[in-house]
Amino acid sequence: MKLSAIGTGDPEVGRSGGRHEEGERAVRESGAAWTVLRPSSFAANSLGWAAAVRAGEPVPHLTGDGASGVIDPHDIAEVAVAALLDAGHGGRTYTLTGPEAISVPGQAAVLAAVLGRPVGTRDLTPDEARTFLRTVWGFDDTRADHALAGMRYVRDGGNALVTEDVPRVLGRPARSFRQWAEDHQGAFRAA
């Protein structure tokens, strides 16, 4: 099994998808049974906003109007288990998304509704985004470049995709960002 990323192989993603392309190729050429999972943006990525939300500060917004089929990591895990336990998933590539494409401001609005208080966003220029990635998240230049390419892909609409792969594999709808936010609201509440 290979946990890859949405957009792998798409020339618009560029070098940021290269590491996943190599991994996908390796599992396909291994001679073993394989399944590739290409999840969209993880809902859990928004936990990186928790300190700002608890402090009443706006969350950093690096993707413009771009939306993503944000997925609950539990859905990814359940699909992985299904693929490992049922040989019928061998030789398949699944693009895993939540049930809707949602932007960062949309995610902030959902958090605001769940928390019962405003959650704002702060747009970052590409230079500000690079600085944020390096200083706040500790990325080196290469990792920052890959992240910025992925964010550009989202900003340009490349990630505004919703698939039926989660419902098809699990026999139930994918969990929404709101469901994830309700389950994790404690991380965003002030102590």
Side-chain angles (χ1 to χ4, degrees):
M1 170 140 346
K2 164 67 173 138
L3 180 62
S4 189
I6 196 165
T8 298
D10 187 321
E12 294 298 315
V13 178
R15 291 176 20 121
S16 66
R19 67 185 189 276
H20 290 299
E21 285 181 59
E22 293 167 12
E24 286 187 18
R25 186 172 32 260
V27 297
R28 287 187 178 108
E29 294 173 358
S30 70
W34 59 268
T35 305
V36 172
L37 306 181
R38 290 180 175 172
S40 186
S41 301
F42 287 34
N45 290 348
S46 62
L47 288 171
W49 307 337
V53 173
R54 285 192 305 266
E57 299 170 0
V59 300
H61 180 212
L62 300 88
T63 54
D65 294 332
S68 298
V70 176
I71 184 164
D72 186 319
H74 287 101
D75 285 347
I76 300 167
E78 286 185 40
V79 170
V81 168
L84 289 168
L85 296 177
D86 182 348
H89 299 287
R92 294 182 184 230
T93 298
Y94 294 116
T95 299
L96 306 177
T97 71
E100 64 180 335
I102 187 169
S103 65
V104 167
Q107 291 175 61
V110 167
L111 283 172
V114 167
L115 298 172
R117 62 183 174 81
V119 175
T121 61
R122 180 173 60 93
D123 293 343
L124 300 181
T125 67
D127 287 340
E128 290 171 328
R130 175 178 292 286
T131 300
F132 176 84
L133 292 170
R134 292 193 38 82
T135 60
V136 177
W137 288 357
F139 286 13
D140 63 21
D141 283 335
T142 300
R143 194 163 177 209
D145 287 344
H146 290 200
L148 290 168
M151 291 170 197
R152 186 171 45 255
Y153 183 72
V154 172
R155 196 171 41 254
D156 293 345
N159 209 27
L161 175 70
V162 173
T163 71
E164 292 299 312
D165 286 350
V166 170
R168 194 174 301 117
V169 172
L170 299 181
R172 64 159 176 81
R175 291 171 45 85
S176 68
F177 181 76
R178 182 179 186 96
Q179 289 171 296
W180 180 90
E182 289 170 350
D183 289 347
H184 296 86
Q185 61 184 292
F188 299 94
R189 292 195 183 280

